[in-house]
mmCIF file of all heavy atoms in Angstrom:
data_model
loop_
_atom_site.group_PDB
_atom_site.id
_atom_site.type_symbol
_atom_site.label_atom_id
_atom_site.label_comp_id
_atom_site.label_asym_id
_atom_site.label_seq_id
_atom_site.Cartn_x
_atom_site.Cartn_y
_atom_site.Cartn_z
ATOM 1 N N GLU A 74 -7.331 7.103 2.087
ATOM 2 C CA GLU A 74 -8.208 6.421 3.058
ATOM 3 C C GLU A 74 -8.414 7.174 4.180
ATOM 4 O O GLU A 74 -9.550 7.290 4.761
ATOM 5 C CB GLU A 74 -7.609 5.102 3.358
ATOM 6 C CG GLU A 74 -7.771 4.093 2.215
ATOM 7 C CD GLU A 74 -6.807 2.840 2.554
ATOM 8 O OE1 GLU A 74 -6.129 2.790 3.572
ATOM 9 O OE2 GLU A 74 -6.835 1.915 1.622
ATOM 10 N N GLN A 75 -7.405 7.991 4.731
ATOM 11 C CA GLN A 75 -7.529 8.801 5.876
ATOM 12 C C GLN A 75 -8.561 9.981 5.726
ATOM 13 O O GLN A 75 -9.287 10.338 6.554
ATOM 14 C CB GLN A 75 -6.195 9.220 6.358
ATOM 15 C CG GLN A 75 -5.266 8.226 7.008
ATOM 16 C CD GLN A 75 -3.891 8.756 7.245
ATOM 17 O OE1 GLN A 75 -3.525 9.896 6.876
ATOM 18 N NE2 GLN A 75 -3.030 7.864 7.805
ATOM 19 N N VAL A 76 -8.351 10.537 4.495
ATOM 20 C CA VAL A 76 -9.245 11.594 4.039
ATOM 21 C C VAL A 76 -10.681 11.037 3.996
ATOM 22 O O VAL A 76 -11.636 11.752 4.547
ATOM 23 C CB VAL A 76 -8.780 12.274 2.787
ATOM 24 C CG1 VAL A 76 -9.901 13.254 2.263
ATOM 25 C CG2 VAL A 76 -7.426 13.066 3.046
ATOM 26 N N GLU A 77 -10.762 9.995 3.342
ATOM 27 C CA GLU A 77 -12.282 9.362 3.387
ATOM 28 C C GLU A 77 -12.860 9.143 4.755
ATOM 29 O O GLU A 77 -13.933 9.427 4.911
ATOM 30 C CB GLU A 77 -12.245 8.029 2.517
ATOM 31 C CG GLU A 77 -12.037 8.136 1.101
ATOM 32 C CD GLU A 77 -11.830 6.955 0.387
ATOM 33 O OE1 GLU A 77 -11.749 5.878 0.906
ATOM 34 O OE2 GLU A 77 -11.969 6.846 -0.840
ATOM 35 N N ARG A 78 -11.996 8.755 5.682
ATOM 36 C CA ARG A 78 -12.556 8.581 7.096
ATOM 37 C C ARG A 78 -12.885 9.830 7.641
ATOM 38 O O ARG A 78 -13.838 9.976 8.294
ATOM 39 C CB ARG A 78 -11.372 7.727 7.835
ATOM 40 C CG ARG A 78 -11.467 6.220 7.610
ATOM 41 C CD ARG A 78 -10.725 5.519 8.787
ATOM 42 N NE ARG A 78 -9.199 5.878 8.696
ATOM 43 C CZ ARG A 78 -8.325 5.241 7.964
ATOM 44 N NH1 ARG A 78 -8.687 4.301 7.140
ATOM 45 N NH2 ARG A 78 -7.033 5.637 8.157
ATOM 46 N N ALA A 79 -12.016 10.855 7.500
ATOM 47 C CA ALA A 79 -12.385 12.134 8.027
ATOM 48 C C ALA A 79 -13.637 12.792 7.405
ATOM 49 O O ALA A 79 -14.486 13.267 8.186
ATOM 50 C CB ALA A 79 -11.217 13.189 7.833
ATOM 51 N N ASN A 80 -13.808 12.658 6.048
ATOM 52 C CA ASN A 80 -15.053 13.053 5.452
ATOM 53 C C ASN A 80 -16.201 12.267 6.015
ATOM 54 O O ASN A 80 -17.251 12.956 6.219
ATOM 55 C CB ASN A 80 -14.877 12.844 3.924
ATOM 56 C CG ASN A 80 -15.872 13.529 3.055
ATOM 57 O OD1 ASN A 80 -15.890 14.809 2.975
ATOM 58 N ND2 ASN A 80 -16.741 12.921 2.428
ATOM 59 N N THR A 81 -16.261 10.994 6.051
ATOM 60 C CA THR A 81 -17.340 10.164 6.651
ATOM 61 C C THR A 81 -17.629 10.695 8.040
ATOM 62 O O THR A 81 -18.864 10.736 8.454
ATOM 63 C CB THR A 81 -16.862 8.751 6.616
ATOM 64 O OG1 THR A 81 -16.747 8.247 5.250
ATOM 65 C CG2 THR A 81 -18.001 7.831 7.171
ATOM 66 N N ALA A 82 -16.566 10.881 8.919
ATOM 67 C CA ALA A 82 -16.852 11.312 10.256
ATOM 68 C C ALA A 82 -17.643 12.662 10.361
ATOM 69 O O ALA A 82 -18.358 12.883 11.220
ATOM 70 C CB ALA A 82 -15.431 11.472 10.894
ATOM 71 N N PHE A 83 -17.252 13.571 9.347
ATOM 72 C CA PHE A 83 -17.980 14.861 9.299
ATOM 73 C C PHE A 83 -19.515 14.643 9.095
ATOM 74 O O PHE A 83 -20.311 15.132 9.865
ATOM 75 C CB PHE A 83 -17.253 15.729 8.165
ATOM 76 C CG PHE A 83 -18.082 16.905 7.868
ATOM 77 C CD1 PHE A 83 -18.212 17.954 8.765
ATOM 78 C CD2 PHE A 83 -18.586 17.127 6.604
ATOM 79 C CE1 PHE A 83 -18.951 19.221 8.525
ATOM 80 C CE2 PHE A 83 -19.284 18.244 6.229
ATOM 81 C CZ PHE A 83 -19.401 19.309 7.244
ATOM 82 N N TYR A 84 -19.800 13.795 8.207
ATOM 83 C CA TYR A 84 -21.128 13.588 7.715
ATOM 84 C C TYR A 84 -21.882 12.896 8.935
ATOM 85 O O TYR A 84 -23.037 13.141 9.201
ATOM 86 C CB TYR A 84 -21.336 13.054 6.513
ATOM 87 C CG TYR A 84 -21.145 13.973 5.268
ATOM 88 C CD1 TYR A 84 -19.934 13.873 4.674
ATOM 89 C CD2 TYR A 84 -21.954 14.853 4.989
ATOM 90 C CE1 TYR A 84 -19.613 14.785 3.559
ATOM 91 C CE2 TYR A 84 -21.767 15.799 3.922
ATOM 92 C CZ TYR A 84 -20.575 15.764 3.300
ATOM 93 O OH TYR A 84 -20.226 16.643 2.263
ATOM 94 N N GLU A 85 -21.201 11.830 9.445
ATOM 95 C CA GLU A 85 -21.824 11.091 10.526
ATOM 96 C C GLU A 85 -22.074 11.929 11.755
ATOM 97 O O GLU A 85 -23.052 11.852 12.480
ATOM 98 C CB GLU A 85 -20.883 9.853 10.880
ATOM 99 C CG GLU A 85 -21.003 8.816 9.873
ATOM 100 C CD GLU A 85 -20.121 7.553 10.181
ATOM 101 O OE1 GLU A 85 -19.253 7.719 11.079
ATOM 102 O OE2 GLU A 85 -20.165 6.645 9.328
ATOM 103 N N ALA A 86 -21.154 12.913 12.036
ATOM 104 C CA ALA A 86 -21.332 13.774 13.280
ATOM 105 C C ALA A 86 -22.544 14.697 12.945
ATOM 106 O O ALA A 86 -23.248 14.950 13.884
ATOM 107 C CB ALA A 86 -19.976 14.595 13.470
ATOM 108 N N LEU A 87 -22.711 15.123 11.706
ATOM 109 C CA LEU A 87 -23.815 16.016 11.435
ATOM 110 C C LEU A 87 -25.106 15.208 11.594
ATOM 111 O O LEU A 87 -26.066 15.638 12.101
ATOM 112 C CB LEU A 87 -23.791 16.534 9.963
ATOM 113 C CG LEU A 87 -22.724 17.659 9.716
ATOM 114 C CD1 LEU A 87 -22.588 17.883 8.147
ATOM 115 C CD2 LEU A 87 -23.165 18.840 10.388
ATOM 116 N N GLU A 88 -25.105 13.923 11.175
ATOM 117 C CA GLU A 88 -26.285 13.128 11.327
ATOM 118 C C GLU A 88 -26.798 12.941 12.847
ATOM 119 O O GLU A 88 -27.882 13.010 13.186
ATOM 120 C CB GLU A 88 -26.142 11.786 10.648
ATOM 121 C CG GLU A 88 -26.177 11.814 9.166
ATOM 122 C CD GLU A 88 -25.910 10.402 8.483
ATOM 123 O OE1 GLU A 88 -25.455 9.556 9.275
ATOM 124 O OE2 GLU A 88 -26.044 10.211 7.327
#
Side-chain angles (χ1 to χ4, degrees):
E74 290 169 357
Q75 290 172 356
V76 171
E77 285 175 348
R78 281 195 296 273
N80 194 68
T81 298
F83 171 63
Y84 287 101
E85 288 177 351
L87 287 173
E88 288 179 346

